[in-house]
Short mmCIF file of all heavy atoms in Angstrom, two decimals:
data_model
loop_
_atom_site.label_atom_id
_atom_site.label_comp_id
_atom_site.label_asym_id
_atom_site.label_seq_id
_atom_site.Cartn_x
_atom_site.Cartn_y
_atom_site.Cartn_z
N ARG A 53 -10.24 41.23 1.92
CA ARG A 53 -9.40 40.44 1.02
C ARG A 53 -8.06 41.14 0.86
O ARG A 53 -8.02 42.30 0.43
CB ARG A 53 -10.06 40.26 -0.35
CG ARG A 53 -11.30 39.37 -0.30
CD ARG A 53 -11.95 39.27 -1.66
NE ARG A 53 -13.05 38.31 -1.66
CZ ARG A 53 -14.27 38.56 -1.24
NH1 ARG A 53 -14.55 39.76 -0.75
NH2 ARG A 53 -15.21 37.64 -1.27
N GLY A 147 21.58 16.67 -7.96
CA GLY A 147 21.75 17.76 -7.01
C GLY A 147 20.56 18.68 -6.85
O GLY A 147 20.66 19.69 -6.15
N HIS A 200 17.17 -13.22 3.39
CA HIS A 200 16.44 -14.44 3.75
C HIS A 200 16.91 -15.65 2.94
O HIS A 200 16.26 -16.70 2.94
CB HIS A 200 14.93 -14.25 3.55
CG HIS A 200 14.32 -13.34 4.57
ND1 HIS A 200 14.36 -11.96 4.47
CD2 HIS A 200 13.64 -13.61 5.73
CE1 HIS A 200 13.74 -11.43 5.51
NE2 HIS A 200 13.30 -12.40 6.28
N ARG A 214 -1.68 -4.10 -19.28
CA ARG A 214 -1.79 -5.12 -20.34
C ARG A 214 -0.49 -5.89 -20.53
O ARG A 214 -0.50 -7.06 -20.89
CB ARG A 214 -2.24 -4.49 -21.65
CG ARG A 214 -1.26 -3.55 -22.33
CD ARG A 214 -1.84 -3.08 -23.67
NE ARG A 214 -0.94 -2.20 -24.39
CZ ARG A 214 -0.89 -0.90 -24.24
NH1 ARG A 214 -1.71 -0.32 -23.37
NH2 ARG A 214 -0.05 -0.15 -24.94
N VAL A 284 0.78 10.84 -1.04
CA VAL A 284 0.93 11.73 -2.19
C VAL A 284 0.47 13.15 -1.89
O VAL A 284 1.16 14.12 -2.24
CB VAL A 284 0.17 11.16 -3.41
CG1 VAL A 284 0.40 12.05 -4.63
CG2 VAL A 284 0.64 9.74 -3.72
#
Side-chain angles (χ1 to χ4, degrees):
R53 291 178 174 82
H200 288 82
R214 68 176 181 272
V284 183

